Amino acid sequence: MGKAISFLLGDAERHLDSVDPNLTVLRYLREVEGLTGTKEGCAEGDCGACTVVLGESNGERMHYRAVNACILFTPALDGKQLIAIEHLKGADDRLHPAQDAMVQTHGTQCGFCTPGFIMSLFALYEEPGAPDRARIDDTLAGNLCRCTGYGPIVKAARDMKSLEPNTPACVKPGIARQLDRLSDGDGLAFESKDGRFFAPRTADELADLLLAHPKATILSGGTDVGLWVTKALRHLDPVIHTGQVAELKELRQFDDHLEIGAAVTYEDAHEVIAQHFPDFGEVIRRLGCRQVRNVGTIGGNIGNGSPIGDSPPPLIALGARLVLRRGAERREIALEDYFIDYGKQDRQPGEFIERIIMPLETAAGELRCYKISKRFDQDISAVLGAFNLRITDGRVERARICYGGMAGTPKRALACEAALTGQPWTLETVQQGRVALDSDFTPMSDQRASAGYRMLVAKNLLTKVYHETNDAPPVSRLVGAGSLAHG
Amino acid sequence: MVRPSRPLYEPPPLGLLWGGVHKDLAHDSALKHVSGEARYVDDLPEPRDLLHLAAGMSEQAHAKLLDLDLSAVRDAPGVVAVFTAQDIPGFNDISPTGTRDDPLLADGLVEFHGQPMFVVAAATTEQARAAARLAQVRYEELEPVLSVDHALERGDFVLEPHEMRRGNAEAALKQAPRRIKGQIRIGGQEHFYLEGQIALALPMEDGDVQIYTSSQHPSEIQHTAARVLDCPSNGVTVEVRRMGGAFGGKETQAAQWCLLAALVARLTGRSAKFRLDRDHDMAMTGKRHDFLADYEVGFDDDGRITALDTTLSSRCGFSADLSASINDRAMFHADNCYYLDQVHILSHRCKTNTVSNTAFRGFGGPQGMVMIERVIDEIARALGKDPLEIRKLNLYGDEGRNVTPYHMTVEDNVAPELIAELEATSDYWARREEIAQFNKTSPVIKRGLALTPVKFGISFTTTFLNQAGALVHVYSDGSVHLNHGGTEMGQGLYIKIAQVVAEEFQIDVDRIKITATTTAKVPNTSPTAASSGADMNGMAAQAAARTIKDRLAAFAAEQFQVSPEEVLFTNNRVVVGEREIPFPELVHMAYHDRVHLSSTGFYKTPKVHYERETARGRPFFYFAYGAAVAEVAIDTLTGENKVLRVDILHDVGRSLNPAIDLGQIEGGFIQGMGWLTSEELWFDAKGRLGTHAPSTYKIPACADRPEDFRVKIYERGENVEETIHRSKAVGEPPLMLGISVFNAIADAIASLADYRLQPGLDSPATPERVLFAVDELCQRKGGSVP
């Protein structure tokens, strides 16, 4: 394993051997490199002011993704290219089209969020095709602007590809080769006076490391763990990063199930999941934002045991199972059994989630998911309801229902399922199911919603499923496919 | 430096002026914004021996401080110094209006959760923040008062109640053909400027302090620092180049961090930087006041208001801050565009154990307007009429219907024409019909429509603040240095003022150097607030430029033996009789003839006067107007809501820069929409703010912008008063266009009762509030819930 963190900063090589492995990329840029164009807005990955772009080579071409530098640890740069706002200057110091478009559309007012927007736009610029409004909204959902109301920025996103190209040095041909030369293919075992950071390349290495360091912090995408450092002011040592483990990044399709490696990002899983289950796809689209989905993983979403993680309820409704591994030993459990209680999961020291097995026995239209939050994009759910209902000849043949935000863990509504199963699919049955939810859950009140609202909306979502499974379903959604707004 | 791949604006034909007023120039910092080269305070090169600061925050909302043991804080890694209230050389008070109720550091008593009790200076920000958590504090808990209701019940106020009255509302209510009594709760709002609060203080010789900050009010920080440090104001210099957003949240709220940094700089002799973490910023700085508005309205069978009695009670937090003027402004806007024949407005300024609420774009005005727009809807529902009919019926009109509750005559009322134009261009009535049809057949999703107008008073209602200064130098090469008392927070003030000066000198705008606002160049400035920045500083800068121009003209007239009237400044040249001299050449000649090429300029707004005791006068120089039509959809099963289309027509007079003004209109609208929909401040029973970061506090995101958004500047707009080039202020008024969204959501809910019952919807209209309003309305109607 290599000893220094090696990456490209723009088109310049960097080998860091003495940084604090808890140092965020934002602080690295501002404090170590003196590149102050990247801003801190929140230090928790929710505003996008710190957006930078990571480049990765697949051997031939570069692939770019926008990430939040404020909660990304510097060792995670190993083997990658880091592009910040200062690297977008073209020949003669001229502007990149994304920058040019923002000037022309009056897309800046106070300017503090602007570098982050530009970096998201730059990543979009490098994607093929002309973006439509929905894609622009998705690209920019993680960049908050408090001044403009977004209109001119959306226009800049539309206009930029029609402006004169101006290729900065950081995207010149040859970068991929330069990056490949930088990496020896081995993982990272980094140690400085401030701590250790391991980024193994194989699952066996990961298993060995975790046996050797059972108390290590397992770092996946870091969109939650990053806040332990920036907000809770914890110092994490050692950290074992799963993001470079090849097997954990695999998503394999079988006839009757999907196997999702624990380190597969939301962004990489989105397309396949959306193909099978459009509603689950929409949940992932609305989860976090592009910068979060580009690094955040489904395995991490499960691993941290949050009661309000968005991927567990649909997975549990689908009957997903987990493969956990400790050393050479593996065990498989139902996902719902992983969540024991608030803050308590069925994972032993040294054990890690290797993959998620998602059965494909459910038909696309049988899974309905509803994410309820104050804002449609990039908001944590107050309640998330996932309904896997099979209705045959007017009767409920199967009901697997799971809610997030209603208990200390993602939890199945067993009483409700029992009230529905085998019954005719009528409003009367829905009413029975609604009543049963009272015995399934005792939700709490917090800043996202009151207990009363959570219970009422949980019940109403069942009613909504009923409306949507009518012969002539009415318009019943405000966002996503089939919504009023997007026609 | 980054160069654009094309000019910022199309250059005019050769010989014409680049810039000047009424032109769509880009923001002066646009190139620097997009390239990351615009420097904010945290981007400045750091001085040697810089200390980083953090505050020790109270963990109680209301308690006596029995013991503050800071030994563990002092012993923590990297800590250089720790200071408490006892270490302050001068007054421990930063109240902006002399109420003496705003300690820099809590002394013996904490009055809100998160209140700073001490300041830690350490080698790094992380060390300072970690150390600040190590204090051992013994509190004696006192009962916290957290809500307006609780404060009203106890009679806890930060300021005396205030009343405004014209006629006899109580008697008129008794005689009114119809009466409705109601109540609405209006939520607060976090500013969420993207750049958090920050200050950098440098110790200078003689014990002086130089402060770099992100503040709308550098003069106040200077004067307050002098009080706290016990030195004359000339010992403190405060500089602000730009802010990463402010919205009122950096009018008084920047002072505390500046003063703590200045205190550390003074006491340690080292430079000190205080940069707030976002969560701390949201916990420790004030927000828009939330209000409880009670109203009783009397009206006739047509819907004409004959009497209004309203009580506006706001949560001010633990201290007065700017609550006097903010609550006054809520009262000043309780009429919005409507003539209230007999009216009584009572205002309660409630004291609570929460952070002291403060200025926020609109400054109380929006809350007053939300109340009266609810009243209009109530009347419409009661009469079974469209709310737009009621709105139009009650607009200010001719003599007899043109006097406000504070006895000012409305002389510039464009609301009727503006509304009529928008009503037509937005196709209001056809869409009203189509939406009604849709709602009849759509069981889950309901749509709503509302047109709401805005009339916003322009001027500081504290009359003495209506003054501004500027400083202009012309160097011997003809380049110009511009400085004024206004601050740049993204609103485009600097470019607008540069355009004014370019117009005056008739030179290209890029010959004018825009420079950072500093108390060393223009003294005793007012805050950049009340939408007044361009109005006042534009006039001051124009006056300064005109003085120099007059001197140049006199010089040219004498030099070339023509009368001063024969000297004409035009398109970068000066025409002197038969001659044409390039501007720089004339300047050069004038310099050699010992002409004074520097001048200050000063402006005070004419006509304004107000006697607060009797609540009578002319607090405003003029009014800014606008109107918006919002169409929304709600989900009656979840309460989720979405804005589908918005049409805006807004009056900016003769715009100094239409592109900048459009940005203010669009951005202000979205901010107002956010205030009334997704932005919710939630405090727990202990008084802790639960929504202290963007993960929990949700400002509008990109996709929340209406899919169909049609924004127009009112073309016939022209200020009837002599403002700078007949423009109108634009900073705050558009925020209140967002009220249309709130009323449209209520309209969608009202469809469930055939528009005959008014939903009891409070703001913000989160899914929770909308769903509960839906259920409550359906129960009131006596039918089943959806």
Side-chain angles (χ1 to χ4, degrees), chain B residues 271-327:
Chain B
S271 301
K273 186 196 279 190
F274 202 145
R275 176 172 66 82
L276 265 61
D277 173 67
R278 176 63 62 180
D279 296 60
H280 299 164
D281 188 315
M282 289 180 74
M284 294 196 286
T285 65
K287 296 148 202 338
R288 187 189 295 285
H289 293 59
D290 48 312
F291 271 67
L292 173 64
D294 291 281
Y295 51 82
E296 187 168 11
V297 62
F299 53 100
D300 64 21
D301 291 337
D302 294 331
R304 195 174 280 108
I305 295 170
T306 57
L308 178 76
D309 190 356
T310 182
T311 304
L312 305 173
S313 309
S314 76
R315 173 159 69 168
C316 298
F318 83 100
S319 71
D321 187 72
L322 300 173
S323 288
S325 311
I326 290 166
N327 284 277

Coordinates of all heavy atoms in Angstrom, one line a residue, chain B residues 271-327:
Chain B
S271 N -3.7 40.0 16.1 CA -4.9 40.0 15.3 C -5.8 38.9 15.6 O -5.4 37.8 16.1 CB -4.5 39.9 13.8 OG -3.6 40.9 13.5
A272 N -7.1 39.1 15.4 CA -8.1 38.1 15.8 C -9.2 38.0 14.7 O -9.7 39.0 14.3 CB -8.7 38.4 17.1
K273 N -9.5 36.7 14.4 CA -10.6 36.5 13.4 C -11.7 35.6 14.1 O -11.4 34.7 14.8 CB -10.0 35.7 12.2 CG -11.1 35.6 11.1 CD -10.7 34.5 10.1 CE -9.7 35.0 9.1 NZ -9.5 34.1 8.0
F274 N -12.9 36.1 13.9 CA -14.1 35.3 14.4 C -14.9 35.0 13.2 O -15.5 35.8 12.6 CB -14.8 36.2 15.4 CG -15.7 35.4 16.4 CD1 -15.9 35.9 17.7 CD2 -16.3 34.2 16.0 CE1 -16.6 35.1 18.6 CE2 -17.0 33.5 16.9 CZ -17.2 33.9 18.2
R275 N -14.9 33.7 12.9 CA -15.8 33.2 11.8 C -16.7 32.2 12.4 O -16.3 31.2 13.0 CB -14.9 32.5 10.7 CG -15.8 31.9 9.6 CD -14.9 31.4 8.5 NE -14.0 30.3 8.8 CZ -14.4 29.0 8.9 NH1 -15.7 28.7 8.6 NH2 -13.6 28.0 9.2
L276 N -18.0 32.5 12.3 CA -19.0 31.6 13.0 C -19.3 30.4 12.1 O -19.4 30.5 10.9 CB -20.3 32.4 13.2 CG -20.5 33.0 14.5 CD1 -19.4 34.0 14.8 CD2 -21.9 33.7 14.6
D277 N -19.3 29.2 12.8 CA -19.9 28.0 12.2 C -21.3 28.3 11.9 O -22.0 29.0 12.6 CB -19.7 26.9 13.1 CG -20.4 25.6 12.7 OD1 -19.9 25.1 11.6 OD2 -21.4 25.2 13.3
R278 N -21.8 27.6 10.8 CA -23.2 27.9 10.4 C -24.2 27.6 11.6 O -25.1 28.4 11.8 CB -23.6 27.0 9.2 CG -25.0 27.1 8.8 CD -25.4 28.5 8.3 NE -24.7 28.9 7.2 CZ -24.8 30.1 6.6 NH1 -25.7 31.0 7.0 NH2 -24.1 30.5 5.5
D279 N -24.0 26.5 12.2 CA -25.0 26.2 13.3 C -24.9 27.2 14.4 O -26.0 27.6 15.0 CB -24.6 24.8 13.9 CG -24.8 23.7 12.9 OD1 -24.1 23.7 11.9 OD2 -25.6 22.8 13.1
H280 N -23.7 27.7 14.7 CA -23.6 28.7 15.8 C -24.2 30.0 15.3 O -24.9 30.7 16.0 CB -22.1 28.9 16.1 CG -21.5 27.7 16.7 ND1 -20.1 27.5 16.8 CD2 -22.0 26.5 17.1 CE1 -19.9 26.3 17.3 NE2 -21.0 25.7 17.5
D281 N -24.0 30.3 14.0 CA -24.5 31.6 13.4 C -26.1 31.6 13.6 O -26.7 32.5 14.1 CB -24.1 31.6 12.0 CG -24.5 32.9 11.3 OD1 -25.6 33.4 11.5 OD2 -23.6 33.5 10.6
M282 N -26.6 30.4 13.2 CA -28.1 30.4 13.3 C -28.6 30.4 14.7 O -29.7 30.9 15.0 CB -28.6 29.1 12.5 CG -28.4 29.3 11.0 SD -29.0 27.9 10.0 CE -30.8 28.1 10.1
A283 N -27.9 29.9 15.7 CA -28.3 29.9 17.1 C -28.1 31.2 17.7 O -28.9 31.6 18.6 CB -27.5 28.8 17.8
M284 N -27.0 32.0 17.3 CA -26.7 33.2 18.0 C -27.1 34.5 17.4 O -26.8 35.5 17.9 CB -25.1 33.2 18.2 CG -24.6 32.1 19.1 SD -22.9 32.4 19.7 CE -22.0 32.0 18.3
T285 N -27.6 34.4 16.2 CA -28.0 35.7 15.5 C -29.5 35.7 15.3 O -30.1 34.7 15.1 CB -27.2 35.9 14.2 OG1 -27.7 34.9 13.3 CG2 -25.7 35.9 14.4
G286 N -30.0 37.0 15.3 CA -31.4 37.2 15.3 C -32.0 36.9 13.9 O -31.3 36.8 12.9
K287 N -33.4 36.8 13.9 CA -34.1 36.4 12.7 C -35.3 37.4 12.5 O -35.5 38.3 13.3 CB -34.6 35.0 12.9 CG -33.5 34.0 13.0 CD -33.8 32.8 13.9 CE -32.5 32.2 14.4 NZ -31.3 32.4 13.7
R288 N -36.0 37.1 11.4 CA -37.3 37.9 11.2 C -38.2 37.6 12.4 O -38.3 36.4 12.8 CB -37.9 37.5 9.9 CG -39.1 38.3 9.6 CD -39.9 37.8 8.4 NE -39.2 37.8 7.1 CZ -38.9 38.9 6.4 NH1 -39.4 40.1 6.8 NH2 -38.3 38.8 5.2
H289 N -38.9 38.6 12.9 CA -39.9 38.4 14.0 C -41.0 37.5 13.5 O -41.6 37.8 12.5 CB -40.5 39.7 14.4 CG -39.5 40.7 15.0 ND1 -38.3 41.1 14.4 CD2 -39.5 41.3 16.3 CE1 -37.7 42.0 15.2 NE2 -38.4 42.1 16.4
D290 N -41.4 36.6 14.4 CA -42.7 35.9 14.1 C -43.8 36.7 14.8 O -43.5 37.4 15.8 CB -42.7 34.5 14.6 CG -42.1 34.3 16.0 OD1 -41.0 34.8 16.2 OD2 -42.7 33.6 16.8
F291 N -45.0 36.7 14.3 CA -46.1 37.5 14.7 C -47.3 36.7 15.0 O -47.6 35.7 14.4 CB -46.5 38.5 13.6 CG -45.7 39.8 13.7 CD1 -44.3 39.9 13.4 CD2 -46.3 41.0 14.0 CE1 -43.6 41.1 13.5 CE2 -45.7 42.3 14.0 CZ -44.3 42.3 13.8
L292 N -48.1 37.2 16.0 CA -49.4 36.7 16.2 C -50.3 37.9 15.8 O -50.2 39.0 16.5 CB -49.6 36.3 17.6 CG -51.0 36.0 18.0 CD1 -51.5 34.7 17.3 CD2 -51.1 35.7 19.6
A293 N -51.1 37.8 14.8 CA -52.0 38.9 14.4 C -53.4 38.6 14.7 O -54.0 37.6 14.2 CB -51.8 39.2 12.9
D294 N -54.0 39.5 15.5 CA -55.5 39.4 15.7 C -56.2 40.5 15.0 O -55.6 41.6 14.9 CB -55.8 39.5 17.2 CG -55.3 38.4 18.0 OD1 -56.0 37.3 18.0 OD2 -54.2 38.5 18.6
Y295 N -57.3 40.2 14.4 CA -58.0 41.2 13.6 C -59.5 41.1 13.8 O -60.0 40.0 14.0 CB -57.6 41.2 12.2 CG -57.8 39.8 11.5 CD1 -59.0 39.4 11.1 CD2 -56.7 39.0 11.4 CE1 -59.2 38.1 10.5 CE2 -56.8 37.7 10.8 CZ -58.1 37.3 10.4 OH -58.2 36.0 9.9
E296 N -60.1 42.3 13.7 CA -61.6 42.3 13.6 C -61.9 43.4 12.5 O -61.4 44.5 12.6 CB -62.3 42.7 14.9 CG -63.8 42.6 14.8 CD -64.5 42.6 16.1 OE1 -63.8 43.0 17.1 OE2 -65.7 42.4 16.1
V297 N -62.6 42.9 11.5 CA -62.9 43.8 10.4 C -64.4 44.0 10.2 O -65.1 43.1 10.4 CB -62.2 43.3 9.1 CG1 -62.8 41.9 8.7 CG2 -62.4 44.3 7.9
G298 N -64.8 45.2 9.9 CA -66.1 45.5 9.6 C -66.2 45.9 8.1 O -65.3 46.6 7.6
F299 N -67.2 45.4 7.4 CA -67.3 45.7 6.0 C -68.8 45.7 5.6 O -69.7 45.2 6.3 CB -66.5 44.7 5.2 CG -66.8 43.3 5.5 CD1 -67.6 42.5 4.6 CD2 -66.3 42.6 6.6 CE1 -67.9 41.2 4.9 CE2 -66.6 41.3 6.8 CZ -67.4 40.6 6.0
D300 N -69.0 46.3 4.4 CA -70.4 46.4 3.9 C -70.6 45.1 3.0 O -69.8 44.3 2.8 CB -70.7 47.7 3.2 CG -69.8 47.9 1.9 OD1 -69.3 46.9 1.4 OD2 -69.6 49.1 1.5
D301 N -71.8 45.1 2.4 CA -72.2 43.9 1.7 C -71.5 43.8 0.3 O -71.4 42.7 -0.3 CB -73.8 43.9 1.4 CG -74.5 43.7 2.7 OD1 -73.9 43.1 3.6 OD2 -75.7 44.1 2.8
D302 N -70.9 44.9 -0.1 CA -70.0 44.8 -1.3 C -68.6 44.3 -1.0 O -67.9 43.9 -1.9 CB -69.9 46.2 -1.9 CG -71.2 46.7 -2.5 OD1 -72.1 45.8 -2.9 OD2 -71.4 47.9 -2.5
G303 N -68.3 44.4 0.3 CA -66.9 44.0 0.7 C -66.0 45.1 1.0 O -64.8 44.9 1.2
R304 N -66.6 46.3 1.1 CA -65.8 47.5 1.3 C -65.5 47.6 2.8 O -66.4 47.5 3.6 CB -66.5 48.8 0.9 CG -65.6 50.0 0.8 CD -66.3 51.2 0.1 NE -66.4 51.1 -1.3 CZ -67.5 50.9 -2.0 NH1 -68.6 50.6 -1.4 NH2 -67.4 50.8 -3.3
I305 N -64.2 47.7 3.2 CA -63.8 47.7 4.6 C -64.3 49.1 5.2 O -63.9 50.1 4.7 CB -62.3 47.5 4.8 CG1 -61.9 46.1 4.3 CG2 -61.9 47.8 6.2 CD1 -60.4 45.9 4.2
T306 N -65.0 49.0 6.3 CA -65.4 50.2 7.0 C -64.6 50.4 8.3 O -64.5 51.5 8.8 CB -66.9 50.2 7.3 OG1 -67.2 49.0 8.1 CG2 -67.7 50.1 6.0
A307 N -64.1 49.3 8.8 CA -63.3 49.5 10.1 C -62.4 48.3 10.2 O -62.7 47.2 9.8 CB -64.3 49.5 11.3
L308 N -61.2 48.6 10.8 CA -60.3 47.5 11.1 C -59.7 47.7 12.5 O -59.2 48.8 12.8 CB -59.2 47.4 10.1 CG -58.2 46.3 10.4 CD1 -58.7 44.9 10.1 CD2 -56.9 46.5 9.7
D309 N -59.8 46.7 13.3 CA -59.1 46.8 14.6 C -58.1 45.6 14.7 O -58.6 44.5 14.6 CB -60.1 46.7 15.8 CG -59.5 47.0 17.1 OD1 -58.2 47.2 17.2 OD2 -60.2 47.1 18.1
T310 N -56.9 45.9 14.7 CA -55.9 44.8 14.7 C -54.8 44.9 15.8 O -54.5 46.0 16.1 CB -55.2 44.7 13.3 OG1 -54.4 43.5 13.3 CG2 -54.4 45.9 13.0
T311 N -54.4 43.8 16.3 CA -53.3 43.8 17.3 C -52.2 42.9 16.7 O -52.4 41.7 16.4 CB -53.8 43.2 18.6 OG1 -54.9 44.0 19.1 CG2 -52.6 43.3 19.6
L312 N -51.0 43.5 16.6 CA -49.9 42.8 16.0 C -48.9 42.6 17.1 O -48.3 43.5 17.7 CB -49.2 43.6 14.9 CG -50.2 44.1 13.8 CD1 -49.4 45.0 12.8 CD2 -50.7 42.9 13.0
S313 N -48.7 41.3 17.5 CA -47.8 41.0 18.6 C -46.6 40.2 18.1 O -46.8 39.2 17.4 CB -48.5 40.2 19.7 OG -49.7 40.8 20.0
S314 N -45.5 40.7 18.4 CA -44.3 40.0 17.8 C -43.4 39.4 18.9 O -43.3 39.9 20.0 CB -43.5 40.9 16.9 OG -42.8 41.8 17.7
R315 N -42.6 38.4 18.5 CA -41.6 37.9 19.4 C -40.3 38.6 19.1 O -39.7 38.4 18.0 CB -41.5 36.4 19.1 CG -40.3 35.8 19.9 CD -40.4 34.3 20.1 NE -40.2 33.6 18.8 CZ -40.0 32.2 18.8 NH1 -40.0 31.5 19.9 NH2 -39.9 31.6 17.6
C316 N -39.9 39.4 20.0 CA -38.7 40.2 19.8 C -37.5 39.5 20.3 O -36.3 39.9 19.9 CB -38.8 41.5 20.5 SG -40.2 42.5 19.9
G317 N -37.6 38.5 21.1 CA -36.5 37.9 21.7 C -36.1 38.6 23.0 O -36.9 39.3 23.6
F318 N -34.9 38.4 23.4 CA -34.5 38.8 24.8 C -34.2 40.3 24.9 O -34.2 40.9 26.0 CB -33.3 38.0 25.3 CG -32.0 38.5 24.9 CD1 -31.2 39.3 25.7 CD2 -31.5 38.2 23.6 CE1 -30.0 39.8 25.3 CE2 -30.3 38.7 23.2 CZ -29.5 39.5 24.0
S319 N -34.0 41.0 23.7 CA -33.6 42.4 23.8 C -34.3 43.2 22.7 O -35.0 42.6 21.8 CB -32.1 42.6 23.7 OG -31.7 42.3 22.3
A320 N -34.2 44.5 22.8 CA -35.0 45.3 21.9 C -34.4 45.3 20.5 O -35.2 45.3 19.5 CB -35.1 46.8 22.4
D321 N -33.1 45.4 20.4 CA -32.4 45.5 19.0 C -33.2 46.5 18.2 O -33.4 47.6 18.7 CB -32.4 44.1 18.4 CG -31.6 44.1 17.1 OD1 -30.4 44.2 17.2 OD2 -32.2 44.0 16.0
L322 N -33.6 46.2 17.0 CA -34.3 47.1 16.2 C -35.9 47.0 16.2 O -36.6 47.4 15.4 CB -33.9 47.0 14.7 CG -32.4 47.3 14.5 CD1 -32.0 46.9 13.1 CD2 -32.0 48.7 14.8
S323 N -36.3 46.3 17.3 CA -37.7 45.9 17.3 C -38.7 47.1 17.3 O -39.8 47.0 16.8 CB -38.0 45.1 18.6 OG -37.5 43.8 18.4
A324 N -38.2 48.3 17.8 CA -39.1 49.4 17.8 C -39.5 49.8 16.3 O -40.7 49.8 16.0 CB -38.4 50.6 18.4
S325 N -38.5 50.0 15.5 CA -38.8 50.3 14.1 C -39.4 49.2 13.3 O -40.2 49.4 12.4 CB -37.5 50.7 13.4 OG -36.8 51.7 14.2
I326 N -39.0 48.0 13.6 CA -39.6 46.8 12.9 C -41.1 46.7 13.1 O -41.9 46.5 12.2 CB -38.8 45.6 13.3 CG1 -37.4 45.6 12.7 CG2 -39.6 44.3 12.7 CD1 -36.4 44.6 13.3
N327 N -41.4 46.8 14.4 CA -42.9 46.7 14.7 C -43.6 47.9 14.2 O -44.8 47.8 13.8 CB -43.0 46.5 16.2 CG -42.7 45.0 16.6 OD1 -43.5 44.1 16.5 ND2 -41.5 44.8 17.1

